[in-house]
Amino acid sequence: QVQLVESGGGSVQAGGSLRLSCAASGSIFEISSMGWYRQAPGKQRELVAASLNGGSTNYLDSVKGRFTISRDNAEKMVYLQMNSLKPEDTAVYYCNAGIRTPSGWGSHWGQGTQVTVSS
């Protein structure tokens, strides 16, 4: 059993900052990629930022220069520092990780955390 638990969401005004955290726990042998997705009402879930095992990162174009993903492999955690937030960043943010368990590799999701940015 694997759990991903997010924290750090909330409500801020435009221009503000938030830091999301995600902790992985359970029967984990290995973690490959870790990332953050978001889903706004009426829209599809989209990849915001990803951290690959080799250290490379990917970002959604609209968040480049504002968001920074980082991870602590020893603690099995991934973070998303969000600066200069805009109303269009409002969404539920989900943590995702590729994890090898005794059952093999799988893609695992957190429960989501709401981020609301007001103008």
Side-chain angles (χ1 to χ4, degrees):
Q1 187 81 4
V2 170
Q3 277 193 313
L4 296 178
V5 179
E6 300 110 333
S7 60
S11 297
V12 294
Q13 290 193 324
S17 297
L18 284 173
R19 186 185 191 224
L20 305 183
S21 300
C22 173
S25 63
S27 301
I28 297 172
F29 288 169
E30 187 178 354
I31 301 177
S32 57
S33 63
M34 300 187 83
W36 292 92
Y37 287 72
R38 69 185 181 189
Q39 188 166 21
K43 295 189 176 182
Q44 287 190 327
R45 190 174 296 190
E46 61 182 357
L47 175 65
V48 176
S51 172
L52 306 183
N53 220 10
S56 62
T57 56
N58 294 325
Y59 293 94
L60 182 67
D61 282 347
S62 62
V63 309
K64 286 180 181 177
R66 300 188 298 122
F67 290 11
T68 303
I69 189 170
S70 61
R71 61 192 281 182
D72 183 332
N73 290 327
E75 297 297 327
K76 300 184 183 65
M77 295 197 68
V78 63
Y79 306 94
L80 186 67
Q81 178 66 44
M82 305 186 293
N83 299 327
S84 303
L85 282 160
K86 304 176 180 180
E88 51 264 41
D89 295 319
T90 295
V92 177
Y93 283 70
Y94 297 91
C95 176
N96 174 266
I99 297 175
R100 185 166 68 93
T101 69
S103 301
W105 284 100
S107 179
H108 297 267
W109 294 89
Q111 80 285 356
T113 185
Q114 177 70 45
V115 171
T116 302
V117 184
S118 57
S119 58

